Amino acid sequence: MIDKLKPEKIEQNIYRGAAFGTEKGTVFGGFALAQALYACGMTVPEDRSLHSLHSYFILPGDATAPIVYDIDRIRDGRSFTTRRVVAIQHGRPIFNLSASFQIKEEGLSHQVSKPEVPTPENFRPTYELAAKDDSPARFWVNYITQQIRPLDFRIVQPIDREQFPIKKHVWFKADQALGDDLLLHQTVLACASDYTFLSSSLEPHLKQNPKLKFRLATIDHSVWLHRPFRVDEWLLFSHESHNAYGARGFNQGHIYAQDGTLVASLTQENLMRVME
């Protein structure tokens, strides 16, 4: 999976990557996001690193066809670099990404505290639990989990469904050492961040009706990276849904290192149509 996250350069500002699919034959959104990020990161000067990205998922991708990433070098400033990426399949845009990179600077610092939850050693990997999962989104924990096995996800249990918003906590990390390439660590985090985030919107409704079925898809996904981190060490993704309306859910979350350092903040809007 790590090799597939790195698309190949085929021309100036044009990259091509292998698709990564779900059991339904569509592209896993987190994978397209990660490839687009890595592609544009390869065009950025080495003295700066990603601090934010904003993306829109336009059309379902075809898991049987490669994805072409067309990069627009919008700006190379003294402190910030901006890139825009359009992912293309069969002549049509399926995804776009805007990303901003910054030189390393010193400044004031504060952060929210990491939630107090049990350590990851207290929970089993999701790929071990997949066979027993009978939720409406089973393919996420069954098929995709098997595909991204280099990433170990551990969902903190029990989930307190008596509060609102319902907070979910997920430990994750890469199972292999990834070296010191910060862009690669950021790319893997971007891929992993789309794995459990969407489910926050479902929790309040599945609590009332566990058999409710949905048609699900990510619409837009944004990430702000605050501090350096390693994704081959445990990270805690804490997320919750504050709103659902008009067949759309809205989620917010934070990612912390195990020592409590806040490394990223995220928002996501998703499609969640109830199926008859």
Side-chain angles (χ1 to χ4, degrees):
M1 188 202 75
I2 301 302
D3 290 339
K4 287 183 178 181
L5 286 177
K6 302 177 181 180
E8 63 172 328
K9 181 178 179 180
I10 58 175
E11 182 53 86
Q12 186 74 0
N13 300 326
I14 300 177
Y15 290 74
R16 179 175 58 204
F20 177 93
T22 71
E23 65 179 1
K24 296 184 177 181
T26 57
V27 173
F28 172 45
F31 198 78
L33 168 61
Q35 281 191 331
L37 171 59
Y38 197 87
C40 74
M42 295 298 290
T43 71
V44 173
E46 294 183 357
D47 66 342
R48 54 202 68 196
S49 61
L50 178 75
H51 74 87
S52 69
L53 64 84
H54 307 276
S55 61
Y56 278 92
F57 295 83
I58 302 169
L59 290 171
D62 177 1
T64 66
I67 305 173
V68 173
Y69 298 94
D70 186 2
I71 300 169
D72 185 358
R73 301 188 185 215
I74 295 178
R75 181 174 184 266
D76 287 300
R78 288 181 297 177
S79 300
F80 290 87
T81 292
T82 306
R83 294 289 184 265
R84 179 172 57 204
V85 187
V86 179
I88 302 168
Q89 275 190 325
H90 308 304
R92 300 185 301 172
I94 64 168
F95 170 85
N96 65 34
L97 169 77
S98 294
S100 182
F101 300 76
Q102 182 190 12
I103 63 171
K104 185 176 181 180
E105 295 189 52
E106 299 298 326
L108 302 175
S109 178
H110 68 265
Q111 68 160 82
V112 296
S113 298
K114 170 180 164 291
E116 294 296 327
V117 300
T119 59
E121 293 76 15
N122 289 278
F123 307 101
R124 295 170 61 190
T126 53
Y127 61 79
E128 291 184 5
L129 303 174
K132 299 180 180 179
D133 191 293
D134 59 356
S135 72
R138 180 176 179 176
F139 72 94
W140 289 110
V141 295
N142 192 2
Y143 184 84
I144 291 181
T145 298
Q146 297 301 321
Q147 296 294 314
I148 56 178
R149 278 287 294 277
L151 293 179
D152 185 351
F153 295 90
R154 303 191 181 192
I155 299 174
V156 174
Q157 298 289 350
I159 299 171
D160 184 358
R161 292 183 169 86
E162 298 307 314
Q163 63 174 346
F164 183 83
I166 298 173
K167 299 180 183 294
K168 296 189 71 172
H169 307 288
V170 183
W171 290 103
F172 71 94
K173 75 177 184 72
D175 273 348
Q176 62 191 78
L178 298 183
D180 297 324
D181 179 1
L182 178 59
L183 177 61
L184 179 58
H185 288 265
Q186 293 172 332
T187 297
V188 175
L189 180 143
C191 179
S193 70
D194 194 39
Y195 176 65
T196 62
F197 207 6
L198 185 151
S199 65
S200 286
S201 296
L202 305 182
E203 286 294 342
H205 308 281
L206 292 176
K207 172 187 172 182
Q208 298 178 15
N209 182 2
K211 296 184 179 180
L212 202 59
K213 295 184 178 181
F214 299 89
R215 178 174 296 170
L216 307 171
T218 302
I219 299 174
D220 60 78
H221 190 96
S222 297
V223 182
W224 291 265
L225 296 172
H226 307 309
R227 296 170 178 83
F229 61 90
R230 297 190 64 91
V231 80
D232 51 8
E233 298 176 355
W234 285 112
L235 299 171
L236 178 69
F237 188 9
S238 297
H239 49 81
E240 58 196 36
S241 178
H242 290 190
N243 183 73
Y245 184 78
R248 302 186 314 274
F250 179 74
N251 309 315
Q252 293 178 292
H254 298 294
I255 297 179
Y256 304 86
Q258 197 164 11
D259 66 2
T261 301
L262 177 66
V263 302
S265 298
L266 303 89
T267 62
Q268 182 191 77
E269 189 174 44
N270 56 271
L271 177 72
M272 47 182 298
R273 290 192 179 120
V274 176
M275 299 175 61
E276 299 296 334

